[in-house]
């Protein structure tokens, strides 16, 4: 019986938003107002498509983008946490569910030499087209009214667990580590034996606190964190039983 660790990426693994960080590559490190103001709620991936097209139109290509992305700082203590998880892979399966994209996450994890920590990464598919422009697509279609149209993290988690049940893999506990509003939907799916670990002071923790005030608490235990070392301390206690 293993533990399943589910990580968000932006403001969880890295201490930035990878999608907004890429704007550093734009002329004067900013976007024109017509692009900045074109975002529609729940349609972030479409918005990022316009950002990438603008970067491409301005001659920004793969190498420059990669150089910028691999400078993103990791959240304090995360690399040490990943070393710990690697040493105890017999205890943990580890996945990422993120609203970033495959290219950014792959670049960042490879540059930090931590790819081997993660069994699977679920995020929006991205690639460079024949003209050298970065393109991004929705991860999937879903019917969840609470989530952006491109990604319902709860659906991803449900399908992941169903597939593993077919292979007769059952987890003793799920630990969900995240920070943002789009992490609430999968968190509400967790059961009483599971643990949600919201980043201290970020939106997910505030939303969970509000639910508790509204007498609609999450079923899972709530353990807030500020650094990867706090998560590591919790995992150390967990595997000692």
């Amino acid at each position: 019986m293993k533990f399943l660790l589910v990580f968000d990426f932006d403001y969880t693994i890295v201490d930035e938003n990878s999608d907004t960080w890429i704007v550093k590559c734009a002329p004067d490190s900013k976007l024109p107002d017509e692009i900045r103001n074109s975002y529609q709620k729940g349609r972030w991936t479409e918005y990022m498509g316009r950002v990438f097209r603008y970067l491409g139109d301005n001659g920004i290509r793969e190498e420059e983008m990669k150089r910028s992305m691999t400078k993103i700082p990791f959240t304090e203590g995360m690399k040490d946490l990943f070393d710990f998880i690697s040493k105890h892979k017999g205890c943990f399966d580890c996945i990422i569910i993120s609203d970033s994209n495959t290219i950014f996450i792959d670049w960042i994890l490879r540059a930090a030499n931590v790819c081997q920590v993660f069994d699977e990464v679920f995020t929006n598919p991205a690639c460079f087209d024949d003209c050298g422009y970065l393109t991004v697509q929705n991860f999937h279609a879903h019917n969840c009214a609470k989530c952006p149209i491109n990604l319902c993290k709860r659906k991803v988690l449900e399908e992941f667990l169903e597939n593993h049940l077919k292979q007769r893999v059952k987890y003793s506990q799920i630990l969900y580590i995240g920070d943002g509003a789009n992490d609430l939907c999968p968190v509400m799916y967790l059961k009483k034996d599971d643990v949600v670990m919201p980043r201290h002071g970020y939106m997910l923790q505030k939303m969970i606190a509000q639910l508790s005030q509204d007498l609609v608490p999450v079923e899972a235990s709530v353990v807030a964190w500020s650094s990867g070392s706090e998560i590591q301390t919790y995992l150390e206690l967990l595997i000692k039983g």
Side-chain angles (χ1 to χ4, degrees):
M1 292 286 273
K2 283 183 167 184
F3 300 100
L4 176 65
L5 304 179
V6 184
F7 282 88
D8 174 45
F9 190 72
D10 293 323
Y11 286 118
T12 296
I13 290 175
V14 292
D15 206 12
E16 275 290 344
N17 180 321
S18 54
D19 278 346
T20 54
W21 181 274
I22 199 63
V23 175
K24 290 176 183 290
C25 292
D28 300 324
S29 299
K30 61 186 184 188
L31 299 171
D33 288 346
E34 65 264 24
I35 293 178
R36 260 188 327 114
N37 298 332
S38 70
Y39 169 64
Q40 294 174 288
K41 193 172 189 295
R43 295 179 174 268
W44 182 258
T45 307
E46 292 172 17
Y47 168 74
M48 286 310 300
R50 292 190 288 278
V51 172
F52 297 150
R53 205 156 45 242
Y54 175 74
L55 294 177
D57 287 345
N58 280 275
I60 311 302
R61 294 294 182 263
E62 183 171 349
E63 277 312 306
E64 188 177 343
M65 293 172 99
K66 185 175 183 179
R67 256 195 319 274
S68 177
M69 295 309 293
T70 52
K71 290 176 184 166
I72 288 188
F74 273 66
T75 299
E76 185 190 344
M78 276 294 162
K79 288 186 183 175
D80 290 338
L81 171 63
F82 296 151
D83 284 344
F84 170 80
I85 293 168
S86 288
K87 287 174 186 149
H88 297 86
K89 274 303 273 179
C91 300
F92 303 110
D93 279 351
C94 202
I95 65 172
I96 291 172
I97 308 178
S98 166
D99 205 358
S100 180
N101 68 70
T102 51
I103 296 273
F104 288 177
I105 292 178
D106 186 61
W107 280 345
I108 293 163
L109 296 183
R110 280 184 193 281
N113 197 28
V114 293
C115 284
Q116 73 287 351
V117 174
F118 300 99
D119 300 288
E120 291 192 64
V121 176
F122 300 94
T123 188
N124 303 300
C127 65
F128 286 90
D129 68 16
D130 295 341
C131 301
Y133 285 39
L134 182 57
T135 63
V136 64
Q137 296 172 309
N138 290 351
F139 178 76
H140 60 189
H142 63 82
N143 299 315
C144 178
K146 299 186 182 79
C147 289
I149 63 162
N150 61 295
L151 176 66
C152 172
K153 293 187 175 187
R154 175 179 181 148
K155 184 179 180 186
V156 175
L157 182 57
E158 281 179 336
E159 289 176 354
F160 176 85
L161 294 170
E162 281 167 18
N163 289 336
H164 278 65
L165 266 181
K166 286 174 192 162
Q167 300 163 35
R168 304 201 170 170
V169 177
K170 195 171 188 308
Y171 295 104
S172 55
Q173 205 172 42
I174 300 166
L175 293 91
Y176 191 103
I177 302 147
D179 70 279
N182 66 353
D183 293 313
L184 187 64
C185 189
V187 161
M188 296 305 286
Y189 169 72
L190 300 179
K191 306 296 182 279
K192 64 175 170 47
D193 292 335
D194 300 325
V195 181
V196 51
M197 304 189 81
R199 188 172 182 182
H200 185 71
Y202 282 69
M203 185 56 73
L204 179 60
Q205 188 193 30
K206 291 172 184 173
M207 292 172 91
I208 289 170
Q210 185 60 54
L211 283 173
S212 188
Q213 283 179 21
D214 297 341
L215 304 179
V216 193
V218 300
E219 271 192 66
S221 303
V222 181
V223 179
W225 62 277
S226 296
S227 71
S229 56
E230 291 175 7
I231 300 169
Q232 182 177 330
T233 300
Y234 187 84
L235 296 185
E236 285 168 351
L237 292 170
L238 203 60
I239 60 177
K240 282 176 187 166

